[in-house]
Amino acid sequence: MLEFYAALCYTIFMKFAFWKRKKEEPAPAPPQPALSVIIGGSDLPPDLPDGCEAVPADAEPHGRYVLFSDSGCSDTDLAGLPALLSERSENLLLFRTDTKYDMPAAETILQQDLLPRKIGFIVSLPLFNRLPTELRGADRGERLVALLLLAETSAAIDFVGEEQNPEPDDAEGSAESLRAFIRFFGGIKASLDREKYSFAFAYACNRVIGVYAEFAAENKAEEIRLFDDFLKSESMALRVAAKERSAVVRLLMRHNFRAPFWLRPVCAAAAAKARARR
């Protein structure tokens, strides 16, 4: 009888241990979304297609691909995109945001005059994780150029995305975004081939000229001096190139960064052109 009770107790104990182990097993992880949509601002969209997740700007995405959205996306905006992404494996996917814009081929985009407002981009999660945190919140152009430099594979896809909102008329924000890009560029330029280096340098030089003009249009001499000091310490080559390529920059330097009254309309026009290209 004693042996019977011992056997019964052992059987009950083993069943309890098995049940406990089974109960404590972690729940299976949810399937990886096809696309994470990083929403600028605080309001997340009410719904997205199956396979998509909405992510606040300060959160980490989990999708196979990541899309930056300046104004939020709807189910209609992204219809068919998860299925399209299932067929792709490139690091960087480029698309049009304007039906009238002829999207350059991915193979030749580094040879084009870049128009960030007309080009959208979707990045693989590994490529997104290589993008410095300070550039994730930078201006659209800085993000796009940085990703083009980092991407090992890219392709243009047959998709028309949401129209991009204009970058705000904020000279200081524009300058800070460019500072982040210049620091990034300085850190990787030794690893770039000639084509990528020339592309990034030309982009940064045009942006530098635009920042000088934007500050001058607002008569912010001290801010120009601070930006000029930054260039002296971080990239004298960009400072020299901007001076050589822009009469506005040369005149500002000649006048100790204070724009004479007669020069301000010229600076305002140059600033407006620079903002339109951000």
Side-chain angles (χ1 to χ4, degrees):
M1 182 64 70
L2 184 60
E3 293 178 354
F4 170 76
Y5 280 113
L8 179 62
C9 290
Y10 177 77
T11 301
I12 294 173
F13 171 78
M14 292 302 292
K15 287 185 176 181
F16 175 76
F18 173 77
W19 175 80
K20 186 176 181 181
R21 286 198 304 272
K22 186 175 181 181
K23 184 177 180 180
E24 291 177 351
E25 288 179 0
Q32 184 183 29
L35 181 67
S36 294
V37 183
I38 297 181
I39 307 297
S42 58
D43 296 330
L44 297 181
D47 51 45
L48 289 175
D50 291 340
C52 295
E53 67 166 359
V55 182
D58 57 352
E60 291 295 320
H62 301 96
R64 184 166 166 263
Y65 279 97
V66 179
L67 168 68
F68 291 91
S69 175
D70 292 331
S71 58
C73 292
S74 68
D75 190 289
T76 303
D77 294 329
L78 302 179
L81 190 54
L84 179 61
L85 295 178
S86 68
E87 304 172 356
R88 312 303 312 200
S89 60
E90 295 86 355
N91 298 149
L92 180 63
L93 301 173
L94 307 171
F95 59 87
R96 294 181 296 163
T97 62
D98 183 346
T99 56
K100 298 179 181 178
Y101 178 63
D102 292 329
M103 181 76 188
E107 296 79 12
T108 62
I109 195 168
L110 298 182
Q111 303 160 18
Q112 307 288 323
D113 187 14
L114 196 67
L115 296 173
R117 191 173 298 181
K118 296 183 181 294
I119 301 175
F121 49 92
I122 299 171
V123 303
S124 67
L125 186 59
L127 179 57
F128 172 85
N129 288 332
R130 292 179 61 196
L131 187 67
T133 302
E134 64 178 346
L135 282 177
R136 295 179 188 179
D139 283 356
R140 184 168 45 248
E142 273 80 274
R143 287 200 306 256
L144 175 56
V145 174
L147 290 167
L148 285 167
L149 299 181
L150 292 172
E152 296 175 0
T153 56
S154 60
I157 59 174
D158 186 18
F159 174 73
V160 179
E162 62 174 337
E163 183 178 354
Q164 301 297 303
N165 291 334
E167 297 290 357
D169 296 345
D170 177 9
E172 184 54 51
S174 174
E176 189 54 40
S177 176
L178 181 57
R179 288 186 185 102
F181 177 80
I182 291 173
R183 286 190 288 265
F184 162 77
F185 178 43
I188 69 164
K189 63 184 180 182
S191 65
L192 300 176
D193 61 30
R194 180 177 297 181
E195 183 180 46
K196 284 190 173 182
Y197 178 88
S198 298
F199 168 74
F201 189 89
Y203 172 82
C205 185
N206 287 333
R207 284 283 286 113
V208 164
I209 293 170
V211 167
Y212 276 109
E214 288 183 73
F215 277 138
E218 298 178 10
N219 199 27
K220 293 183 176 179
E222 184 59 28
E223 283 80 356
I224 301 177
R225 289 193 193 94
L226 292 173
F227 182 70
D228 190 71
D229 288 342
F230 168 82
L231 290 177
K232 288 178 181 177
S233 63
E234 291 290 334
S235 182
M236 182 61 79
L238 278 173
R239 183 180 187 271
V240 171
K243 182 179 178 181
E244 290 178 347
R245 299 178 191 184
S246 171
V248 168
V249 174
R250 291 195 297 273
L251 287 168
L252 287 171
M253 290 181 177
R254 189 179 304 167
H255 289 86
N256 197 25
F257 304 119
R258 293 191 179 280
F261 182 79
W262 59 267
L263 183 58
R264 292 178 194 173
V266 178
C267 292
K273 181 178 179 181
R275 282 193 295 268
R277 302 185 64 81
R278 283 204 265 129

